[in-house]
Amino acid sequence: MSDQLTFYTSPMSRGRVIRWMLEEVGVPYDTMLVDLRGPKGDYHTINSMLKVPTIVHNGRTVTETPAICAYLAEAFPQAGLAPTADERADYYRWMFFASGPVEAATTNRTLGVEVPPELTAMVGYGHYDRMVETLEQGVSAHAYIAGPRFTAADVYVGSQIGWLSAVGALPKRDAFDAYLGRIMGRPAAVRARGIDDALIAEAASAG
């Protein structure tokens, strides 16, 4: 029995990360577009949070972008995107760092949320500047985030850095630019951007 893989997304969302991951994996998948601003039909039965992305693989639902990246890497090992034993520590460390402290710190900064100095121990990222310094160290340690080769963690971490840098939520750093330069030109990344950009253009022309 062949794999049945359905991808629920919007081209102007974190779904772009999973589009890239799916193109890296290289297996067939069906795309279901979810209107983030309009009626969502019975999508709540797939993801009760009414968020994207979501995948359904052989009847099993997976939500949360980093979880989907990790799941696809393990579900399709032939793509070579799951970590080796030597890569596993950095792979999980930085994927979860990007989805936790990086996401929280940049969201708070964008929303103008100021954490009083005496309460920084209560937030997972502590200090924004310390988060940035730590992330910079992470992308500088190896050619890729988990070691000498590209893995699924680079899809997620790289997407976070790329988007947050583009919108000014992360400061410009040579280390970030160098890291993005190593990963964003990958054929799967270019292909994925092309697919989602075409969907955005199609929606714009349709009004």
Side-chain angles (χ1 to χ4, degrees):
M1 177 180 175
S2 61
D3 284 291
Q4 296 181 345
L5 181 55
T6 304
F7 171 43
Y8 295 84
T9 188
S10 167
M12 296 181 68
S13 74
R14 289 175 176 83
R16 294 177 73 96
V17 183
I18 301 308
R19 176 81 71 184
W20 178 10
M21 184 66 192
L22 287 165
E23 292 299 314
E24 290 281 357
V25 168
V27 297
Y29 62 92
D30 297 318
T31 299
M32 299 293 290
L33 296 180
V34 178
D35 184 353
L36 297 181
R37 297 182 178 178
K40 298 175 180 60
D42 62 354
Y43 182 60
H44 69 278
T45 64
I46 304 295
N47 186 339
S48 59
M49 291 291 290
L50 296 177
K51 299 286 189 177
V52 292
T54 299
I55 65 165
V56 178
H57 180 221
N58 293 335
R60 298 286 187 171
T61 300
V62 188
T63 66
E64 313 315 315
T65 306
I68 297 172
C69 287
Y71 175 87
L72 289 171
E74 294 181 17
F76 301 99
Q78 66 274 18
L81 298 171
T84 63
D86 288 340
E87 297 164 340
R88 193 171 291 124
D90 282 341
Y91 176 93
Y92 286 111
R93 175 189 180 185
W94 295 112
M95 186 178 287
F96 283 93
F97 184 80
S99 65
V102 173
E103 175 98 10
T106 54
T107 297
N108 278 356
R109 190 176 183 86
T110 300
L111 295 176
V113 176
E114 295 286 344
V115 179
E118 69 274 13
L119 297 179
T120 55
M122 295 181 64
V123 294
Y125 61 86
H127 302 269
Y128 173 86
D129 291 340
R130 187 177 301 160
M131 176 278 292
V132 173
E133 292 172 4
T134 302
L135 183 61
E136 185 175 9
Q137 292 168 9
V139 301
S140 303
H142 314 285
Y144 298 97
I145 199 65
R149 70 182 189 97
F150 183 90
T151 66
D154 292 294
V155 174
Y156 185 73
V157 176
S159 294
Q160 284 279 64
I161 292 174
W163 168 250
L164 294 171
S165 297
V167 300
L170 279 177
K172 182 175 177 59
R173 292 285 191 275
D174 289 343
F176 294 156
D177 289 343
Y179 174 61
L180 294 175
R182 291 192 288 274
I183 65 174
M184 288 300 180
R186 291 176 62 84
V190 174
R191 195 162 57 244
R193 290 195 298 271
I195 294 170
D196 279 325
D197 289 348
L199 288 171
I200 292 172
E202 182 181 329
S205 64

